[in-house]
Amino acid sequence: MCIIAPSILSADSGRLAQEIAAMEAAGADWLHLDIMDGHFVPNITFGPWVVEMAKKTAKIPLDVHLMVSDPLTYGPMFARAGADIVTIHTEATVHLHRALTAIREAGAKPGLVLNPATPLSAIEYSLDLVDLLVVMGVNPGFSGQPFIESTTQKVSNLTKFLQSRKLNIPIEVDGGVNDQNAPHLAKAGATVLVSGSHLFKSKDYRAAILNLRKLCQNP
Ligand code: DX5
Ligand code: ZN
């Protein structure tokens, strides 16, 4: 089964609640919320109030992606705001173990994200602490960037890495996902696909989600 998670970074921000409701009604499995602090990445997005609003608006799980330099402070804060999953970057802190544990204690499932240049070894000693692993398909900070092709090989390497340790942690790909690369990512072992610009620029959200899921499930 594949999970399709629209990223509301590409939504019409003046109609955010309606866009969230429309994506849920169109069959989105999860909602992906990108939190940027203007420090870890050169862009600023939303605070916890958007997660609180999304929680009231939609019933599907909220996958909150923290692109922040201080995940130890903000991880638990976003968990308390209503995130079901909080993912943090391996590159953001030297205290990954502490931050992941704090997120779980605050009531959310913790996950780890790898930037395009970050090796798989960065997650090796955190695997027992996470419920989701995210491979970035672009450099974090903006939606609508072109997919970095080496991501597919990285997902395949991660799949083998997890299999060799007999671990069944889902792999999410975030950034640049579209109908062309989805089948390759699925073959490589990804089961959660985040999509911002591709889904939000489609005329028919339902058809676009269905098609992406079909391409992921029957690659
Ligand atoms: C990038 C974000 C992504 C982004 C995806 O920093 O983490 O979630 O919104 O958007 P697209 O699919 O347009 O690359
Ligand atoms: Zn994201």
Side-chain angles (χ1 to χ4, degrees):
M1 281 299 280
C2 278
I3 287 171
I4 304 300
S7 161
I8 63 164
L9 189 57
S10 299
D12 175 352
S13 54
R15 301 172 48 252
L16 205 46
Q18 292 99 307
E19 290 270 70
I20 289 170
M23 276 298 176
E24 180 175 45
D29 300 294
W30 294 358
L31 210 60
H32 185 85
L33 294 95
D34 289 305
I35 312 300
M36 305 186 188
D37 66 353
H39 187 260
F40 182 70
V41 289
N43 197 3
I44 299 177
T45 57
F46 339 108
W49 67 271
V50 173
V51 176
E52 287 165 15
M53 179 275 281
K55 197 74 191 167
K56 284 185 205 138
T57 309
K59 290 191 173 61
I60 51 176
L62 304 181
D63 169 27
V64 175
H65 175 194
L66 292 189
M67 286 156 275
V68 304
S69 299
D70 183 1
L72 188 54
T73 300
Y74 295 104
M77 189 187 287
F78 278 87
R80 286 191 294 270
D84 295 275
I85 302 155
V86 175
T87 63
I88 62 174
H89 276 258
T90 55
E91 309 84 10
T93 175
V94 292
H95 296 298
L96 276 186
H97 191 289
R98 185 178 285 161
L100 292 167
T101 304
I103 289 165
R104 198 179 292 283
E105 283 172 2
K109 293 180 173 177
L112 272 181
V113 192
L114 294 161
N115 270 343
T118 303
L120 299 181
S121 57
I123 56 171
E124 189 165 2
Y125 295 101
S126 306
L127 291 170
D128 55 331
L129 299 174
V130 297
D131 293 341
L132 182 68
L133 291 166
V134 187
V135 177
M136 289 305 299
V138 300
N139 288 298
F142 304 92
S143 60
Q145 302 179 81
F147 182 71
I148 297 170
E149 294 296 338
S150 59
T151 306
T152 314
Q153 185 61 52
K154 192 174 183 182
V155 171
S156 171
N157 294 348
L158 178 55
T159 301
K160 289 186 199 120
F161 182 81
L162 294 176
Q163 279 169 352
S164 72
R165 285 161 178 75
K166 299 195 172 19
L167 290 169
N168 196 15
I169 306 170
I171 301 174
E172 173 180 299
V173 178
D174 182 16
V177 173
N178 56 35
D179 287 353
Q180 281 69 49
N181 52 37
H184 303 290
L185 292 169
K187 275 189 196 143
T191 56
V192 184
L193 299 181
V194 173
S195 170
S197 47
H198 168 70
L199 288 181
F200 276 98
K201 74 172 191 248
S202 68
K203 296 237 176 336
D204 181 342
Y205 291 173
R206 173 172 290 277
I209 290 172
L210 270 175
N211 198 46
L212 196 58
R213 194 186 288 113
K214 197 175 78 195
L215 289 166
C216 181
Q217 283 174 185
N218 310 297

